[in-house]
């Protein structure tokens, strides 16, 4: 049996985190990691304690808004934003961290990740825009787009 790589391990965790999403369009999960230890996780969904799209329906669908546009018309906070917020709430710096995410970031999340001083971003799926690429390059953030990890979990009983 072959052991999975550390990147595949954390991408699989991001997939599980995404299962908590309350967005009806995309389930996105993010995991911030430093020295092989999870610092914080985040998924996309409505602000804590507020009604979400599962209850109220999607504002973006109701208004015919295309993916990647008009981010302000949405109940959800993005997974990358939530991973930053969660780390902040718990007093954990993301400086030098790697963020594993099920999708590449929108430009707003990319700017926030740059200011969080992450060093690496790893994903397997592309968001509807690629404007983060030049920003991350300028900021010196390494980007790795890998194959989607297997959906199966392998373990010995």
């Amino acid at each position: 049996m072959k052991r999975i790589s550390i990147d595949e391990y954390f991408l699989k965790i991001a997939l599980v985190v995404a299962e908590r999403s309350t967005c009806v369009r995309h389930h996105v999960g993010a995991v911030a990691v430093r020295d092989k230890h999870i610092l914080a996780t985040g998924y996309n969904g409505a602000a804590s304690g507020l009604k979400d799209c599962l209850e109220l329906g999607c504002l973006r669908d109701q208004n015919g808004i295309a993916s990647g546009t008009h981010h302000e018309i949405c109940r959800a906070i993005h997974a990358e934003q939530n991973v930053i917020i969660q780390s902040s709430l718990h007093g954990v710096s993301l400086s030098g961290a790697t963020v594993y995410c099920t999708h590449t970031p929108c430009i707003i999340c990319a700017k926030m990740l740059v200011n969080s001083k992450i060093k690496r971003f790893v994903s397997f799926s592309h968001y509807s825009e690629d404007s983060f690429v030049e920003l991350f390059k300028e900021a010196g953030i390494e980007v790795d787009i890998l194959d989607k990890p297997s959906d199966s979990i392998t373990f010995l009983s």
Side-chain angles (χ1 to χ4, degrees), residues 71-138:
H71 298 285
E72 72 282 2
I73 304 173
C74 182
R75 288 186 182 88
I77 298 165
H78 289 188
E80 302 93 326
Q81 294 167 354
N82 270 325
V83 84
I84 292 166
I85 292 165
Q86 287 303 309
S87 66
S88 175
L89 286 172
H90 297 284
V92 176
S93 170
L94 295 184
S95 182
T98 296
V99 171
Y100 293 87
C101 194
T102 57
H103 292 68
T104 55
C106 71
I107 191 63
I108 295 167
C109 289
K111 290 175 188 179
M112 293 175 72
L113 290 166
V114 167
N115 269 13
S116 296
K117 304 208 180 304
I118 68 165
K119 71 172 182 179
R120 185 171 176 237
F121 187 91
V122 182
S123 186
F124 58 82
S125 180
H126 290 275
Y127 187 58
S128 59
E129 59 175 278
D130 280 336
S131 52
F132 76 95
V133 173
E134 284 303 314
L135 182 69
F136 277 11
K137 185 176 182 180
E138 184 180 346

